[in-house]
Amino acid sequence: MPKAGITYGPRIQAPNYAQIEEAAEQEVLKVLGLRRPEDLVAARPDGLVVKAWGIVEQADAEIALHLDERDQALAHLWFYEQRLGLSKTAGLTNMGYRSALARLMFGDKQHPLPVASSNTELVQAAEEKGIERVAGAEGKLLKAAPIVYAARARRELAVRFMQEAVLALSEEPYGWTPDQIAEHVGVHRDLIYKQRAAARKRHGL
């Protein structure tokens, strides 16, 4: 979000997010007992759905633990140090980066960010919204961002495997109802309906 009239500090080199994503995929496959994604067709869906949900829950817990730390460091570096390239440093798209700052500032990721035409105005905007200064923000960002990125990568993949398992359990030879699957996994049946619908849509059913 560079603007004319603002002097920016140096960019922060981004972690290797492609490598982090690859490692996250391998971790999910290991937990699920699969050597590669194609092995899903031979896996028992009743066991797979439980393991996949466990990965989702763990990922959600990690994201909840580190998301604010990441976003607070991001906000400090943007508003108080005016560093460029922070979206890449955090492993976010430009839209995701804006959403993270808006969520922290306004409690609404869709809220427009304040417009500033100088370094002083950026600082004032942050101070008015109570954005805290973060000591060692660069280090904290480089620590928290990869954790959140990896957790989200694991979660995304695990959800897809869970959806496939739910769909398989819904069909023959299993023929389980959403209520039966929900009880087996230990979740509300609305989640199972949602996962089954997503799998059906992906398969054009």
Side-chain angles (χ1 to χ4, degrees):
M1 298 181 290
K3 298 279 186 182
I6 298 177
T7 302
Y8 297 101
R11 293 176 183 266
I12 304 169
Q13 184 167 347
N16 188 335
Y17 285 111
Q19 190 176 70
I20 291 170
E21 188 166 3
E22 184 179 338
E25 178 179 346
Q26 291 305 311
E27 186 175 341
V28 169
L29 292 174
K30 183 178 179 180
V31 172
L32 297 180
L34 306 175
R35 292 183 58 191
R36 20 172 224 170
E38 306 90 86
D39 295 337
L40 172 67
V41 293
R44 283 185 59 91
D46 52 342
L48 190 74
V49 71
V50 173
K51 292 177 182 177
W53 177 245
I55 295 170
V56 172
E57 286 189 307
Q58 182 181 359
D60 283 344
E62 288 186 35
I63 292 167
L65 188 62
H66 296 282
L67 186 63
D68 281 347
E69 181 182 8
R70 184 201 71 179
D71 290 352
Q72 286 165 0
L74 268 179
H76 171 91
L77 291 165
W78 172 245
F79 289 105
Y80 295 122
E81 295 190 23
Q82 298 90 36
R83 307 288 285 272
L84 274 178
L86 291 173
S87 57
K88 289 184 179 179
T89 305
L92 294 167
T93 62
N94 285 335
M95 183 177 294
Y97 172 53
R98 287 174 177 270
S99 296
L101 293 181
R103 182 189 71 85
L104 190 67
M105 289 191 81
F106 304 102
D108 176 7
K109 63 182 182 180
Q110 303 294 335
H111 197 289
L113 291 174
V115 177
S117 56
S118 70
N119 297 66
T120 301
E121 287 182 8
L122 275 174
V123 172
Q124 288 175 342
E127 289 177 340
E128 286 174 4
K129 288 299 179 182
I131 299 297
E132 296 181 8
R133 294 179 183 269
V134 178
E138 181 174 333
K140 289 180 178 178
L141 176 61
L142 290 173
K143 176 186 174 185
I147 293 173
V148 173
Y149 188 94
R152 283 184 165 163
R154 293 197 310 274
R155 188 189 198 283
E156 183 179 345
L157 186 57
V159 165
R160 287 213 314 271
F161 281 121
M162 184 178 181
Q163 290 170 352
E164 294 298 323
V166 167
L167 182 60
L169 287 170
S170 301
E171 299 176 340
E172 296 301 331
Y174 297 94
W176 290 14
T177 66
D179 287 286
Q180 287 175 313
I181 301 172
E183 183 177 357
H184 177 70
V185 180
V187 298
H188 195 278
R189 67 177 183 175
D190 288 352
L191 174 65
I192 301 303
Y193 276 108
K194 181 180 178 181
Q195 304 288 30
R196 187 179 66 175
R200 283 176 168 171
K201 182 178 181 180
R202 188 162 54 245
H203 288 280
L205 301 176

